[in-house]
Amino acid sequence: MPGQPRHVHPTAPLAPRALLPGDPGRALLLAQELTDDPRMFNHNRGLWGYTGTTSDGEPLTIMSHGMGGPSAAIVLEELCDLGLEVVVRVGTCGALVDGLVLGDLIAVTAAIPADGASTALGARAPLVPDARLTERLTAAADHAGTVASADLFYDPDPARPETWRAAGAIAVEMEAATVFAVAARRGVRAACLLAVSDELPGAGERIDAEHLEAASKRLGGEALAALLAD
């Protein structure tokens, strides 16, 4: 039931539209890059968030959700309690197939619930994002496809990625399925755009800081453009 947020402590108004990165540092970067006069929206528990004004003169909140489905679920539930209407997760992922280059952007068309949080919310089949937002993100991204949402970055089971590939996943990350599950439950439109940061989480080559910053700026810009087109 909607109630007073317990973990998000707003110090500025929440916009009806938001970008959700996992990394608080990326939240700050995108707030500075995409908005005018950003104000701190939340700093409790290190989940930095900001609300500023974008090029259309309307507000945008950029709020970090932390790592993993449980943290993302808490943040999104409480933003919904505060009046959120539409959200794009802007995160990173590990490649599962050939042809994905570090820094490429992937528009998520479905998320396999291979994590505990989305399955606890009742997900048994791949969850799908908002069609209209995803169509715009797909037009801007380098790739589009299904991802697997998992709990472990350092997964000790070397066979698990093959299971995800067999189910159609081109990349793996940790929060999209939970974001889609919570959004569907709460009647919020949600989509997801990811930058490829790892060849395989915990195992392969990782993007360097300079290229990650460039990818993050592109990630935020394309996600905002999709929201502005609403």
Side-chain angles (χ1 to χ4, degrees), residues 2-215:
Q4 184 67 29
R6 300 183 181 187
H7 305 87
V8 176
H9 295 175
T11 54
L14 172 72
R17 58 189 183 177
L19 301 181
L20 294 187
D23 180 2
R26 187 174 302 120
L28 174 59
L29 173 69
L30 295 183
Q32 294 171 329
E33 183 77 9
L34 302 176
T35 70
D36 294 325
D37 301 319
R39 295 174 57 194
M40 179 68 83
F41 169 76
N42 181 76
H43 59 80
N44 191 51
R45 292 181 173 262
L47 297 166
W48 297 350
Y50 306 86
T51 297
T53 304
T54 64
S55 59
D56 65 351
E58 298 297 324
L60 173 74
T61 295
I62 303 173
M63 174 71 191
S64 57
H65 59 55
M67 288 189 287
S71 180
I74 290 170
V75 170
L76 184 51
E77 289 277 5
E78 297 193 1
L79 294 184
C80 290
D81 288 343
L82 292 168
L84 185 68
E85 297 175 4
V86 58
V87 62
V88 179
R89 163 163 152 69
V90 284
T92 57
C93 63
L96 290 176
V97 298
D98 294 335
L100 301 183
V101 177
L102 295 178
D104 279 359
L105 300 191
I106 299 174
V108 176
T109 57
I112 296 169
D115 65 305
S118 65
T119 55
L121 288 167
R124 298 295 179 267
L127 298 105
V128 295
D130 179 80
R132 198 164 69 218
L133 282 173
T134 303
E135 182 178 5
R136 296 182 194 129
L137 294 175
T138 296
D142 303 300
H143 314 273
T146 298
V147 301
S149 295
D151 284 329
L152 298 177
F153 186 87
Y154 298 104
D155 194 334
D157 184 353
R160 208 156 356 233
E162 183 53 44
T163 301
W164 298 328
R165 279 190 289 267
I170 64 172
V172 57
E173 53 82 74
M174 300 178 72
E175 297 90 11
T178 296
V179 168
F180 295 166
V182 172
R185 195 174 76 83
R186 297 299 300 267
V188 168
R189 296 170 58 212
C192 181
L193 186 66
L194 303 172
V196 178
S197 61
D198 295 84
E199 289 183 342
L200 186 66
E205 182 182 353
R206 184 169 178 82
I207 195 169
D208 63 38
E210 179 182 356
H211 289 94
L212 179 58
E213 180 174 330

